[in-house]
Amino acid sequence: RGTLLVVSTGVDGILEMESPDSPNVIWDWLATEKGFDLMGNGGKRVLDRGRNYQDVITTTPEHTTHINSVLNHEEGKLLATLFHQGCLVEIDMATGESRTLLEGLKSPHSIRRRDGGFVVCDSRNNRVLLLNSRFEINKVIEGSYDWVQDAMETESHGFLIADSNNGRLVHVNECGEVLSEFNWGTTSRKVSTLLSISAADARDIFLPA
């Protein structure tokens, strides 16, 4: 409906902004208020809604979920990956309640749609999971990966995988066979998120006049 969903990992929250150009928050979900109030280091976390957290620096062990991706699933329902809990959840925007759809993951990231279902990265297990529309695992893509940060379906129904710690992008087919890869080596430059752009945008970015 023209709004923007934002994950704020630092406050373990999801924000719905009025528009991409507006700072107004019209809905939010804070994990600390919904039963997820224990930090990764075991302490209890309490957030003050009257405080501006933009300048508050926190690290992963100080987060209760380290929530890192969200997807508008259907009207009033969101999908989100909870890093510390190792699960994919569905959040009801009306009630704020969440239910676990997939568990047993290690440090998951990046829930995305694919043809006939969804893609989620089981990052610390170094694999990509292809889910059907009922969130059952249809296929597992594994290989010599080291921290799969993101993955997305391509127009050819293959998948582009961000193999973060190995410093490469890997293009595989539906069977997980490597078709090609772009490797820049293990440096501090690591891919966190993939974004699909048009050919015209790519020309403007990489081949400026």
Side-chain angles (χ1 to χ4, degrees):
R1 54 178 179 266
T3 60
L4 178 68
L5 282 174
V6 177
V7 167
S8 178
T9 304
V11 297
D12 290 295
I14 302 171
L15 312 176
E16 183 181 11
M17 315 297 288
E18 188 174 41
S19 76
D21 302 316
S22 170
N24 295 329
V25 177
I26 59 176
W27 177 89
D28 65 56
W29 184 88
L30 296 182
T32 54
E33 298 176 352
K34 303 299 180 183
F36 301 98
D37 59 355
L38 292 181
M39 296 184 288
N41 59 17
K44 187 172 182 177
R45 189 178 195 195
V46 178
L47 293 177
D48 179 359
R49 282 184 170 271
R51 183 178 182 182
N52 185 343
Y53 283 88
Q54 289 178 306
D55 296 323
V56 177
I57 298 175
T58 59
T59 60
T60 302
E62 296 172 281
H63 305 153
T64 67
T65 61
H66 195 73
I67 186 172
N68 55 49
S69 68
V70 64
L71 180 66
N72 189 22
H73 170 36
E74 56 186 39
E75 185 64 31
K77 300 291 179 64
L78 306 178
L79 303 178
T81 48
L82 306 188
F83 181 94
H84 285 320
Q85 285 73 23
C87 63
L88 172 69
V89 299
E90 180 186 74
I91 297 171
D92 187 314
M93 296 182 71
T95 65
E97 297 299 313
S98 64
R99 68 183 182 102
T100 301
L101 302 174
L102 183 66
E103 56 188 351
L105 311 178
K106 289 186 178 179
S107 308
H109 287 83
S110 186
I111 176 66
R112 290 181 180 268
R113 287 188 178 85
R114 72 177 181 97
D115 187 23
F118 302 90
V119 182
V120 67
C121 294
D122 193 4
S123 300
R124 196 179 295 276
N125 278 327
N126 304 314
R127 60 184 189 165
V128 177
L129 305 181
L130 306 185
L131 313 179
N132 61 22
S133 60
R134 298 184 300 278
F135 304 100
E136 300 165 336
I137 299 175
N138 266 359
K139 189 170 185 59
V140 178
I141 297 177
E142 297 179 288
S144 57
Y145 304 114
D146 185 2
W147 197 272
V148 177
Q149 183 79 18
D150 198 359
M152 65 186 298
E153 188 174 34
T154 63
E155 290 184 356
S156 62
H157 297 293
F159 296 89
L160 188 63
I161 298 173
D163 185 14
S164 185
N165 286 344
N166 284 327
R168 63 176 184 157
L169 298 176
V170 185
H171 186 205
V172 302
N173 61 19
E174 287 183 299
C175 296
E177 299 168 331
V178 176
L179 303 176
S180 62
E181 66 177 72
F182 175 68
N183 193 323
W184 61 91
T186 54
T187 69
S188 60
R189 297 176 64 87
K190 297 181 179 181
V191 174
S192 61
T193 305
L194 300 172
L195 176 66
S196 178
I197 62 175
S198 68
D201 286 339
R203 285 192 293 270
D204 289 341
I205 295 169
F206 297 107
L207 299 173

